[in-house]
């Protein structure tokens, strides 16, 4: 009964003549937390962007919530989606970026209510109340009127999480959410992510925080050079890696 | 006049950073005797120059005053404002469209925009104005229709449709659009790529993404050069005198060609141009402040990145 939230079947992606993703096959269960680890340049970001269709998949199939991403399947043929449809299907996933990417010209509150109002067409009053609840949830209830640049990196990233949640996504994608943060600010962001996981959100997290992966992840996926080398529960992949590339990577990170 | 420009510089670095409270040791602020002396010399020179101009009979200040609010001058000033406002508005709107076209991934669309900009920036505005004025000679009838001799809907004679004022507005607007397109393109390109990703990830696309996320941030970069454009447009409208349109400068010229008071009337026109540019600069400052919100100081993230690489 528990159908996968994300299902990748041989997903390939090239930039120009270089193939970055060389056939990724992966299943992500509803309500689970998946941590993607791997050396820089292995294609983790690219894969995450494919899930959200910020990059187009070249070959293979990628399903999010049982919907084929970026294509419509009719009469045994795949039809590329129009930009408008793509934008619509993107709402299924919320995304949090390494460099926060808050809208600098809007206040914290405006950042959060912007898409629900303009994209979903929901009433401002209703959305504002929800936004306030979200801000309270990430511990920034009193900073709604601030501009992003007035906040610390950790606070900005928490706003970015609240902004993504305001669209009520079915899953959340995190691309190295703590890599741009000063060490003392990493904890506050990871805490928000932990509480989100406890609340049952489906999460895909690209991270180098192995302690977080060990504690929170249901599944750890090790990627290298565009392929999934090894995946499984954290105790296996992190505690007892079978593949030598995984072992080499972990010995470098630790 | 020129000398006054250097005056603000003296006050710019004047406020010295207060020394950290160092117990009870009295702090003597550094003095700048040379700077003070220079400032006094400049003030004296400027006042002297102003006094000289004011008492020089040959400027005919009485004539200046008597024509300052002459009806002909005032209608000229209004026409200059109308020409500037309409041409700038059309120029900015069309320039925005051209800028977005120029950045389009579609090579045909971007080439069309590139060609437009190439042509209108590459030919003299004066020639363009005279061209539009004489368009009736090339196209006696203006019509909407299919190319290559297909069916068409005639709108009327070009001579009737394109009045001198129409030709002036057409020429100024189309020319301005080419310059604004390049300014706006620069502004759009200055916006971080991550902003597109963030907006798209929230389901925004196309016009909404441009209007709500990209263009407001581009404004910060676009505004200062646009202010320059408005001011040069204000004075550039005087070119339309070749089409016998009585804008501010042309009105002054008509008057002095009768009474031979050339310098006083040029002063009258210049005073009005100065007033108008002053008002425009005021609005520019307000707009720049409005669109600078959220960008006041160096972003914290950038500062941290610097200290990181240093460590
Ligand atoms: N838009 C792009 N155009 C060209 N090459 C790209 C683009 N995005 C990523 N790449 C390349 O793809 C490779 C994998 O990148 P990425 O997915 O960011 O890896 P990771 O996130 O694992 O570090 C890198 O070598 C990068 O240079
Ligand atoms: Mg990456």
């Amino acid at each position: 009964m528990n159908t996968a939230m994300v299902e990748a079947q041989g997903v390939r992606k090239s930039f120009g003549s270089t193939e970055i993703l060389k056939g990724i096959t992966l299943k992500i269960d509803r309500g689970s937390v998946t941590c993607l680890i791997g050396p820089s340049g292995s294609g983790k970001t690219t894969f995450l962007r494919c899930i959200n269709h910020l990059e187009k998949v070249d070959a293979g199939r990628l399903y999010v919530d049982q919907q084929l991403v970026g294509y419509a399947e009719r009469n045994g043929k795949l039809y590329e989606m129009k930009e408008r449809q793509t934008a619509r299907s993107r709402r299924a996933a919320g995304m949090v970026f390494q460099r926060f990417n808050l809208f600098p010209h809007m206040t914290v509150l405006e950042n959060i209510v912007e898409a629900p109002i303009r994209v979903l067409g929901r009433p401002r009053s209703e959305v504002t109340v929800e936004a306030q609840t979200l801000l309270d949830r990430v511990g920034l209830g009193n900073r709604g009127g601030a501009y992003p640049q007035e906040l610390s990196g950790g606070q900005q990233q928490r706003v970015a999480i609240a902004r993504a949640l305001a669209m009520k996504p079915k899953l959340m994608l995190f691309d190295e959410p703590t890599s741009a943060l000063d060490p003392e600010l990493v904890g506050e962001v990871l805490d928000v992510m932990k509480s989100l996981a406890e609340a049952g959100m489906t999460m895909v997290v690209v991270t180098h925080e192995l302690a977080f992966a060990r504690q929170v992840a249901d599944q750890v996926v090790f990627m290298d050079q565009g392929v999934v080398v090894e995946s499984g529960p954290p105790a296996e992949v992190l505690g007892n890696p079978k593949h030598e590339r995984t072992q080499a990577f972990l010995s470098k990170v630790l | 006049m020129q000398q006054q420009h250097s005056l603000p510089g003296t006050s710019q670095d004047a406020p010295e950073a207060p020394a950290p409270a160092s117990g009870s040791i009295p702090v003597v602020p550094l003095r700048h005797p040379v700077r003070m002396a220079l400032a006094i010399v400049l003030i004296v020179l400027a006042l002297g120059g102003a006094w000289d101009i004011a008492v020089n009979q040959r400027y005919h200040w009485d004539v200046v005053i008597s024509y300052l609010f002459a009806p002909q001058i005032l209608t000229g000033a209004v026409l200059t404002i109308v020409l500037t406002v309409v041409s700038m508005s059309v120029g900015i709107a069309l320039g925005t469209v051209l800028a977005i076209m120029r950045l389009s991934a579609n090579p045909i669309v971007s080439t069309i925009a590139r060609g437009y900009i190439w042509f209108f920036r590459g030919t003299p505005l004066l020639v363009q104005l005279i061209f539009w004025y004489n368009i009736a000679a090339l196209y006696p009838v203006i019509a909407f229709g299919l190319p290559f001799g297909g069916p068409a809907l005639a709108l009327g004679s070009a001579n009737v449709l394109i009045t001198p004022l129409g030709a002036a507005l057409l020429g100024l607007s189309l020319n301005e659009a080419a310059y604004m397109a390049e300014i706006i393109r620069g502004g759009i390109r200055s916006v971080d790529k991550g902003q597109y990703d963030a907006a798209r990830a929230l389901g925004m696309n196309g016009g909404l993404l441009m209007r709500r996320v990209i263009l407001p941030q581009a404004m910060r970069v676009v505004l200062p050069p646009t202010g320059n454009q408005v001011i040069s447009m204000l004075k550039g409208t005087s070119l339309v005198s070749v089409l016998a349109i009585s804008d501010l400068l042309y009105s002054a010229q008509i008057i002095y060609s009768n009474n031979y008071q050339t310098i006083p009337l040029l002063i009258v026109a210049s005073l009005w141009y100065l007033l108008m540019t002053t008002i425009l600069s005021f609005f520019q400052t307000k707009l720049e402040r409005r669109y600078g919100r959220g960008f006041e100081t160096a972003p914290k993230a950038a500062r941290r990145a610097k200290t990181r690489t240093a460590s």
Side-chain angles (χ1 to χ4, degrees):
Chain A
M1 188 58 231
N2 186 10
T3 55
M5 178 62 86
V6 178
E7 184 157 7
Q9 300 169 350
V11 168
R12 289 171 182 274
K13 171 74 195 171
S14 303
F15 289 113
S17 57
T18 16
E19 192 167 51
I20 303 299
L21 300 181
K22 299 166 183 162
I24 303 278
T25 299
L26 195 63
K27 232 174 111 175
I28 289 163
D29 289 332
R30 266 165 222 277
S32 73
V33 176
T34 299
C35 284
L36 275 180
I37 60 171
S40 162
S42 55
K44 306 181 298 293
T45 296
T46 307
F47 180 62
L48 217 55
R49 291 169 63 86
C50 283
I51 296 179
N52 210 6
H53 205 271
L54 287 172
E55 304 291 353
K56 198 173 88 138
V57 172
D58 294 332
R61 292 189 184 188
L62 186 54
Y63 294 91
V64 173
D65 198 21
Q66 291 169 293
Q67 300 280 314
L68 193 57
V69 173
Y71 298 89
E73 197 167 5
R74 269 179 270 128
N75 317 323
K77 275 186 189 162
L78 291 184
Y79 294 88
E80 213 177 306
M81 271 187 190
K82 291 204 180 77
E83 177 63 25
R84 188 175 292 273
Q85 285 170 292
T86 308
R88 177 173 287 272
S89 64
R90 241 178 226 139
R91 295 182 209 156
M95 188 149 184
V96 174
F97 303 86
Q98 185 175 345
R99 293 184 46 245
F100 331 135
N101 297 352
L102 292 177
F103 304 135
H105 59 300
M106 298 180 188
T107 63
V108 164
L109 197 66
E110 286 165 355
N111 261 278
I112 299 175
V113 300
E114 176 68 14
I117 293 173
R118 308 270 164 184
V119 176
L120 303 180
R122 298 183 51 208
R124 178 176 291 272
S125 54
E126 192 182 304
V127 173
T128 308
V129 172
E130 285 180 17
Q132 191 54 52
T133 311
L134 284 169
L135 276 178
D136 291 337
R137 206 168 138 193
V138 300
L140 292 168
N142 57 347
R143 301 312 306 271
Y147 280 93
Q149 68 144 7
E150 296 161 16
L151 305 179
S152 73
Q155 292 173 326
Q156 289 190 51
Q157 195 60 298
R158 287 185 277 153
V159 172
I161 293 172
R163 178 175 70 173
L165 290 175
M167 292 296 281
K168 303 192 172 155
K170 293 176 186 148
L171 83 156
M172 287 282 285
L173 310 171
F174 296 83
D175 189 5
E176 303 199 29
T178 58
S179 295
L181 298 178
D182 284 338
E184 75 272 19
L185 302 176
V186 168
E188 63 191 54
V189 173
L190 292 182
D191 285 345
V192 169
M193 291 168 63
K194 271 178 213 163
S195 72
L196 201 54
E198 277 158 18
M201 175 61 78
T202 311
M203 292 163 60
V204 186
V205 186
V206 175
T207 188
H208 296 300
E209 298 289 335
L210 296 187
F212 174 83
R214 216 169 268 126
Q215 194 189 338
V216 183
D218 300 296
Q219 175 181 229
V220 173
V221 176
F222 174 69
M223 277 178 70
D224 192 15
Q225 296 177 6
V227 294
V228 172
V229 176
E230 193 166 344
S231 69
E236 276 176 34
V237 179
L238 300 176
N240 186 21
K242 291 187 185 60
H243 206 286
E244 66 182 75
R245 276 200 270 174
T246 320
Q247 290 161 4
F249 173 75
L250 290 174
S251 69
K252 257 183 266 169
V253 173
L254 290 175
Chain B
M1 294 303 267
Q2 274 295 65
Q3 293 145 346
Q4 280 192 336
H5 279 297
S6 49
L7 273 180
T10 52
S11 63
Q12 214 167 53
D13 29 2
E16 303 294 339
S22 43
S24 57
I25 303 171
V27 177
V28 181
L30 187 60
R31 300 198 192 284
H32 301 275
V34 178
R35 206 187 274 173
M36 281 299 285
L38 199 64
I40 290 168
V41 168
L42 290 178
I43 290 172
V44 169
L45 281 176
L47 287 178
W51 172 256
D52 231 44
I53 291 170
V55 297
N56 187 334
Q57 291 296 319
R58 280 157 294 195
Y59 277 108
H60 290 291
W61 291 107
D62 51 327
V63 180
V64 171
I65 289 163
S66 70
Y67 277 101
L68 201 51
F69 298 100
Q72 225 177 330
I73 293 288
L74 291 183
T75 33
V78 168
L79 196 60
T80 290
I81 292 171
V82 169
L83 282 168
T84 306
V85 168
V86 174
S87 310
M88 264 334 282
S89 307
V90 177
I92 289 171
L94 185 57
T96 308
V97 174
L98 284 166
I100 293 171
M101 284 173 69
R102 177 90 160 73
L103 292 168
S104 162
N106 182 335
I108 296 171
V109 171
S110 73
T111 305
I112 289 172
R114 199 188 295 248
Y116 180 100
I117 294 164
W118 168 78
F119 183 81
F120 282 93
R121 286 203 310 174
T123 53
L125 176 55
L126 187 62
V127 174
Q128 290 173 29
L129 285 170
I130 296 172
F131 174 85
W132 292 115
Y133 187 61
N134 292 304
I135 190 89
L138 294 170
Y139 300 96
V141 173
I142 293 184
F144 275 129
L146 299 173
F148 312 118
L153 171 69
L155 287 181
S157 144
N159 253 329
V160 178
L161 283 174
I162 310 266
T163 59
L165 186 63
L169 288 174
L170 206 55
L172 291 172
S173 305
L174 297 186
N175 185 259
E176 189 56 35
Y179 285 93
M180 283 310 302
E182 286 297 273
I183 291 173
I184 293 165
R185 180 172 72 104
I188 292 175
R189 291 195 44 166
S190 75
V191 178
D192 181 41
K193 289 277 165 290
Q195 293 291 308
Y196 291 86
D197 286 343
R200 287 207 183 99
L202 290 167
M204 300 171 92
N205 68 339
L208 186 64
L209 185 152
M210 268 290 154
R211 217 171 49 246
R212 297 289 305 171
V213 177
I214 306 302
L215 290 178
Q217 293 182 63
M219 284 297 269
R220 213 165 46 92
V221 174
V222 164
L223 273 174
T226 303
N228 268 344
Q229 289 300 115
V230 178
I231 286 173
S232 51
M233 168 67 84
L234 187 76
K235 292 179 291 181
T237 50
S238 58
L239 263 183
V240 302
S241 60
V242 296
L243 310 184
I245 292 174
S246 11
D247 72 310
L248 179 52
L249 185 62
Y250 194 54
S251 305
Q253 285 170 333
I254 291 170
I255 298 174
Y256 73 64
S257 64
N258 285 324
N259 64 9
Y260 303 108
Q261 298 282 8
T262 308
I263 297 295
L265 275 147
L266 288 178
I267 291 175
V268 167
S270 299
L271 286 174
W272 279 108
Y273 280 116
L274 269 176
L275 176 70
M276 291 191 259
T277 48
T278 308
I279 293 169
L280 284 172
S281 304
F282 169 78
F283 283 116
Q284 183 183 347
T285 311
K286 286 199 99 170
L287 272 177
E288 277 174 19
R289 202 164 299 153
R290 156 91 174 69
Y291 282 97
R293 272 195 310 211
F295 293 91
E296 278 86 4
T297 56
K300 289 196 172 88
R303 247 185 291 155
R304 186 174 39 255
K306 253 181 233 153
T307 52
R308 267 225 175 144
T309 46
S311 62

